[in-house]
C-alpha cells in the first residue's frame, strides 16, 4: 500500500493543530437560569413545570452543557425525583435567545420541597497541548444551586408568566454564568466534542442576572401545548386524557404543529 505525500502532510497538519488556541467568532457570558419554580407556595397541580433559560445560547455549542436536577419532599421521605437534560447537544442554539429548557413532572405531594440543580459544561484544559501532555484535553465542570418551594392547598396557582414578571420573587442565586473568551482549541476525536473543538473559559465567574429573563404568553402556550400533545400521543401515553382527539391523523398534525411552535420560540422540553 502506498501512502500518498499529501495525506501525510494533511495528517501532520491536523496533529499540529491539536491544542492550538485560536480565536472564535463569538465571546461573552453564557448564562443558565432557573426561572420556575421559585421560593414560593403553590397550590397542588397535576403537572409541575421546571423551566430554565439559556442566555447567549449561541455560545453553548463548544461547552456541551447539561442541566441536572433533583427534588425531594422534605416533609415526607419517599416523594422525590431526579432529571437530566442530557441531549442539549442537539439543540438549535441559534434559533432563539434566550433558549428555554423545561420539564413537567407529576405526582408531587404537598409539603416543603428542596430543588438542587447543576449546570455541567466542558471547557479546554489550557495546560494540554498534545498527546504527551499530562491530564485530559477537556475539563468537565459544574455549578450547583438550590432553592426551596412549598406545595400546599390555598397556595397560588402555577403561572410561569406571572412568576417571571414579578422581580420580588426572583433570587440572584438562581443563575449560573460562564465567561466564554471567544478562543477555542482542537481536541482529539475521542473527546466527542462538536467539530473536535472545545471552548476556552475565563475567570472569575461572571455575576448571573436571572431576574432579567421573562417568559411571555407565547412561550408558556408552547410549553402547555407540548405537554398536552405528549399526553395525548397514543404511541407514548398509556393514560390519555378523556378530551384528547380520537383522530390519529389530527393528533399527528397537532404534534407537528407543537414542534414547529417550539422551534419558533426556541425551546426543548420533556415530560416525566
Amino acid at each position: 500500500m502506498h501512502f500518498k505525500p499529501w495525506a501525510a502532510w494533511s495528517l501532520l497538519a491536523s496533529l499540529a493543530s491539536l491544542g492550538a488556541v485560536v480565536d472564535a467568532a463569538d465571546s461573552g457570558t453564557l448564562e443558565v437560569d432557573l426561572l420556575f419554580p421559585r421560593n414560593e407556595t403553590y397550590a397542588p397541580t397535576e403537572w409541575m413545570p421546571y423551566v430554565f433559560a439559556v442566555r447567549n445560547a449561541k455560545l453553548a455549542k463548544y461547552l456541551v452543557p447539561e442541566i441536572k436536577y433533583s427534588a425531594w419532599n422534605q416533609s415526607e421521605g419517599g416523594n422525590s425525583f431526579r432529571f437530566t437534560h442530557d441531549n442539549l447537544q442537539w439543540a438549535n442554539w441559534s434559533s432563539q435567545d434566550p433558549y428555554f429548557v423545561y420539564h413537567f413532572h407529576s405526582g408531587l405531594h404537598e409539603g416543603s420541597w428542596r430543588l438542587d440543580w447543576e449546570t455541567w459544561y466542558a471547557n479546554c484544559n489550557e495546560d494540554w497541548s498534545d498527546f504527551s501532555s499530562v491530564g485530559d484535553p477537556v475539563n468537565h465542570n459544574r455549578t450547583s444551586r438550590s432553592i426551596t418551594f412549598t406545595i400546599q392547598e390555598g397556595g397560588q396557582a402555577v403561572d410561569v408568566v406571572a412568576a417571571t414578571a414579578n422581580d420580588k420573587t426572583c433570587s440572584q442565586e438562581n443563575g449560573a454564568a460562564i465567561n466564554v473568551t471567544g478562543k477555542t482549541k482542537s481536541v482529539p476525536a475521542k473527546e466527542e466534542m462538536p467539530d473536535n473543538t472545545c471552548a476556552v473559559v475565563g475567570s472569575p465567574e461572571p455575576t448571573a442576572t436571572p431576574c432579567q429573563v421573562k417568559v411571555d404568553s407565547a412561550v408558556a402556550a408552547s410549553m402547555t401545548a407540548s405537554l398536552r400533545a405528549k399526553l395525548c400521543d397514543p404511541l407514548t401515553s398509556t393514560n390519555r386524557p378523556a378530551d384528547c382527539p380520537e383522530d390519529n391523523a389530527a393528533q399527528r398534525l397537532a404534534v407537528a404543529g407543537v414542534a414547529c411552535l417550539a422551534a419558533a420560540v426556541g425551546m426543548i422540553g420533556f415530560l416525566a
Side-chain angles (χ1 to χ4, degrees), residues 159-180:
D159 187 333
V160 178
V161 175
T164 57
N166 184 3
D167 288 343
K168 294 180 180 179
T169 66
C170 178
S171 169
Q172 296 292 344
E173 297 299 315
N174 283 357
I178 304 165
N179 178 11
V180 182

Side-chain angles (χ1 to χ4, degrees), residues 34 36-37 46-52 67-74 76-85 102-109 113-117 149 151 270-272:
L34 171 65
F36 195 90
E46 185 177 4
W47 292 96
M48 188 72 169
Y50 297 83
V51 185
F52 294 82
I67 300 173
K68 301 182 179 183
Y69 43 101
S70 59
W72 66 94
N73 191 329
Q74 299 178 111
E76 57 177 55
N79 196 207
S80 64
F81 74 91
R82 65 180 62 237
F83 194 83
T84 300
H85 291 283
Y102 66 96
H103 163 231
F104 286 93
H105 197 87
S106 65
L108 273 64
H109 299 172
W113 284 80
R114 177 180 171 119
L115 175 66
D116 290 343
W117 64 278
F149 64 95
I151 297 179
F270 301 87
L271 174 69

Side-chain angles (χ1 to χ4, degrees), residues 2 11 22 31 49 57 69 109 113 118 122 138 156-157 161 165 176 204-205 212 232-233 238-239 247 252 255 268 272:
H2 298 287
L11 176 61
V22 298
E31 186 169 330
Y69 43 101
H109 299 172
W113 284 80
E118 301 173 339
V138 175
Q156 62 184 292
V161 175
E205 179 181 293
Q212 295 182 2
C232 290
D233 188 347
T238 57
N239 189 21
D247 184 353
R252 288 193 296 271
V255 171
I268 189 168

Side-chain angles (χ1 to χ4, degrees), residues 19-120:
V21 177
V22 298
D23 289 329
D26 299 307
S27 63
T29 299
L30 176 78
E31 186 169 330
V32 179
D33 301 318
L34 171 65
L35 304 183
F36 195 90
R38 295 185 172 183
N39 185 16
E40 296 188 287
T41 299
Y42 302 104
T45 183
E46 185 177 4
W47 292 96
M48 188 72 169
Y50 297 83
V51 185
F52 294 82
V54 181
R55 299 164 63 192
N56 265 346
K58 63 184 180 181
L59 302 177
K61 179 178 179 180
Y62 295 131
L63 296 173
V64 195
E66 290 186 357
I67 300 173
K68 301 182 179 183
Y69 43 101
S70 59
W72 66 94
N73 191 329
Q74 299 178 111
S75 304
E76 57 177 55
N79 196 207
S80 64
F81 74 91
R82 65 180 62 237
F83 194 83
T84 300
H85 291 283
D86 57 1
N87 66 344
L88 296 179
Q89 67 267 32
W90 308 117
N92 180 7
W93 296 116
S94 62
S95 64
Q96 193 78 13
D97 199 84
Y99 192 92
F100 295 99
V101 179
Y102 66 96
H103 163 231
F104 286 93
H105 197 87
S106 65
L108 273 64
H109 299 172
E110 290 191 53
S112 173
W113 284 80
R114 177 180 171 119
L115 175 66
D116 290 343
W117 64 278
E118 301 173 339
T119 300
W120 286 79

Side-chain angles (χ1 to χ4, degrees), residues 177-218:
I178 304 165
N179 178 11
V180 182
T181 65
K183 298 182 182 299
T184 62
K185 292 174 69 173
S186 296
V187 295
K190 69 182 183 66
E191 298 298 326
E192 298 182 347
M193 296 293 290
D195 303 330
N196 296 331
T197 300
C198 63
V200 176
V201 301
S203 297
E205 179 181 293
T207 300
T209 56
C211 303
Q212 295 182 2
V213 185
K214 314 298 180 186
V215 175
D216 63 26
S217 57

